[in-house]
Amino acid sequence: MTHSITRRKFIKTGISLSAASFIPGTKKIIPPEKDRSRPVVISSRNGLRATEKAMKMISEGSDSLDAVITGVNIIEDDPEDISVGYGGLPNEDGVVELDSSVMHGPTHNAGAVAGLRNIKNPSKVAKLVMERTAHALLVGEGALRFAKSHGFKEENLLTDRSRKIWLKRKEMLSDSDFWLPSASEKIDPDLRAALDSHGTINCCALDAKGDLAGVTTTSGFFFKIPGRVGDSPIIGAGLYVDNDIGAAGSTGLGEANILTCGSNAVVEFMRKGHSPEEACIKTLVRISEKAKLWPRYLDENGHPAFDLNFYAINKKGEYGAASLWKGRRFAVHNGKENILRECAFLYKKERPVSAFSSGLYV
Ligand code: ASP
């Protein structure tokens, strides 16, 4: 074998990154006096430009849903963000398939698309599903035809960079097929970065009137089976808004979230009086319990071997976010400053971020 990195060796590298100490327990990160404002916009850690834009629009009187969608469109359009929209990482066939949902508090309405190809702003299409159909979710070919009938132009979403990452992954996937990595090559830095990060952007907002809205958009898991749909377009999993209570969204392992209706659970915990941060933590505790029934998703200590993060705002303008593992961050614009803050967490252990490098694909 002349190749410098075999599939097995590569995955071992990923696992060894997670061999630090483990201390269970929740941690309150945000000082209480700082975690309330109105309006407020919250997002996943890749959403600082989205929170900035959305806050500007809300301050100028825009509807909170229009504001968060315009915010995430910046990231969808950016070829450098390989987790959403244009330049998002493709499925195992090298085709980019996008998922997105939107939910509007004042009308308690939602729209979503899944497995959408060739359209770089699935969040805009999701909003049209909400407004211009009597359905809540369109998928695949039907979603594409719907988008085209509203004038969206098809384009190739695979950039040279995402194609290269896909090809490297394909070449190192197996020692028993006909795809060979370049003999000279060490691990490609772009591939390493792709496997060590996960994507998706969620953005939720509360405007000055007290109306809530949210959007989640993603290219889903890199190298997914074509047709795989994650949590992002599933109302109640990747996003949920109840205008009387609050809004919540998620990033991370979609399958775990779908199986537990995570964002709906966060909103329900807020309904019971928990703060947004507590509600996120309580949902993650519930998911950790359920994960004990999913052996392929557990690490050597019986804890979830994946990443999952929730972001939430309540009607009062309190906000918070929590992750299974320490070290994750979220973006928030509270009307005064637009910053990244640390998420609260369940497990105090430095884990690699992605599902790939946490061993799920062994
Ligand atoms: N939640 C996304 C999905 O499962 C992926 C991610 O956030 O990394 O498609």
Side-chain angles (χ1 to χ4, degrees):
M1 163 58 63
T2 53
H3 317 310
S4 49
I5 295 198
T6 65
R7 180 184 180 220
R8 286 274 148 197
K9 277 186 200 148
F10 178 81
I11 287 170
K12 250 178 123 182
T13 311
I15 290 171
S16 68
L17 288 173
S18 67
S21 63
F22 167 78
I23 307 168
T26 64
K27 184 158 167 57
K28 173 88 180 164
I29 298 281
I30 304 169
E33 73 279 8
K34 289 191 103 183
D35 64 0
R36 184 192 290 203
S37 79
R38 186 160 149 176
V40 61
V41 187
I42 186 172
S43 180
S44 42
R45 62 147 181 24
N46 52 346
L48 266 182
R49 285 174 294 165
T51 49
E52 178 82 44
K53 179 72 185 175
M55 179 56 81
K56 184 166 185 300
M57 286 180 65
I58 287 172
S59 312
E60 290 164 359
S62 292
D63 177 79
S64 48
L65 183 58
D66 290 332
V68 291
I69 292 174
T70 309
V72 301
N73 288 162
I74 298 168
I75 325 295
E76 287 176 334
D77 290 345
D78 181 357
E80 294 305 313
D81 190 312
I82 55 176
S83 69
V84 293
Y86 178 61
L89 289 173
N91 66 22
E92 67 180 5
D93 289 343
V95 178
V96 181
E97 290 183 327
L98 304 177
D99 297 339
S100 180
S101 62
V102 303
M103 191 154 184
H104 186 232
T107 52
H108 199 74
N109 204 359
V113 289
L116 178 65
R117 298 180 172 195
N118 297 346
I119 305 287
K120 71 178 174 188
N121 297 121
S123 58
K124 287 185 184 170
V125 185
K127 183 165 185 255
L128 281 170
V129 171
M130 180 182 93
E131 289 174 337
R132 303 292 290 275
T133 77
H135 303 310
L137 170 63
L138 294 181
V139 305
E141 180 59 30
L144 176 59
R145 278 174 26 204
F146 171 76
K148 283 165 67 180
S149 63
H150 275 278
F152 284 81
K153 298 278 174 286
E154 282 194 77
E155 59 190 300
N156 180 9
L157 303 182
L158 201 63
T159 57
D160 261 0
R161 181 169 173 229
S162 53
R163 180 195 51 74
K164 192 183 77 172
I165 293 170
W166 168 79
L167 181 64
K168 304 276 178 207
R169 174 69 181 158
K170 193 169 174 65
E171 287 175 343
M172 57 167 283
L173 195 60
S174 169
D175 296 335
S176 336
D177 64 18
F178 298 103
W179 293 82
L180 305 180
S182 145
S184 62
E185 211 162 4
K186 299 257 186 267
I187 183 151
D188 183 79
D190 274 347
L191 176 60
R192 173 85 263 174
L195 299 185
D196 278 350
S197 67
H198 72 78
T200 303
I201 179 162
N202 164 255
C203 188
C204 293
L206 174 80
D207 67 18
K209 300 190 298 289
D211 285 330
L212 291 146
V215 56
T216 304
T217 180
T218 189
S219 52
F221 275 146
F222 176 36
F223 234 82
K224 62 191 172 187
I225 295 174
R228 177 263 187 188
V229 173
D231 56 331
S232 306
I234 307 297
I235 295 299
L239 179 68
Y240 194 68
V241 178
D242 182 326
N243 211 42
D244 296 329
I245 306 297
S250 175
T251 60
L253 182 67
E255 283 70 8
N257 194 18
I258 289 171
L259 293 172
T260 50
C261 302
S263 291
N264 178 262
V266 172
V267 172
E268 289 309 308
F269 280 123
M270 291 195 284
R271 193 188 303 279
K272 287 183 181 152
H274 294 287
S275 72
E277 186 181 276
E278 285 165 2
C280 294
I281 285 285
K282 282 191 155 298
T283 301
L284 289 167
V285 168
R286 183 183 285 176
I287 292 170
S288 292
E289 282 301 309
K290 295 295 180 199
K292 292 180 182 151
L293 300 168
W294 309 327
R296 67 163 301 163
Y297 290 147
L298 295 178
D299 69 10
E300 60 285 359
N301 298 311
H303 302 298
F306 55 85
D307 210 42
L308 197 52
N309 318 287
F310 289 100
Y311 317 91
I313 303 177
N314 69 14
K315 188 80 176 166
K316 291 185 269 187
E318 294 169 335
Y319 60 87
S323 307
L324 281 172
W325 298 97
K326 189 183 173 192
R328 312 301 185 238
R329 295 194 293 168
F330 69 102
V332 60
H333 199 316
N334 58 16
K336 293 188 210 86
E337 50 180 6
N338 188 36
I339 49 170
L340 286 176
R341 305 187 78 129
E342 278 184 58
C343 296
F345 54 85
L346 267 195
Y347 299 111
K348 189 179 175 182
K349 173 178 173 182
E350 296 296 338
R351 280 200 78 83
V353 171
S354 80
F356 264 89
S357 53
S358 60
L360 280 181
Y361 289 74
V362 177

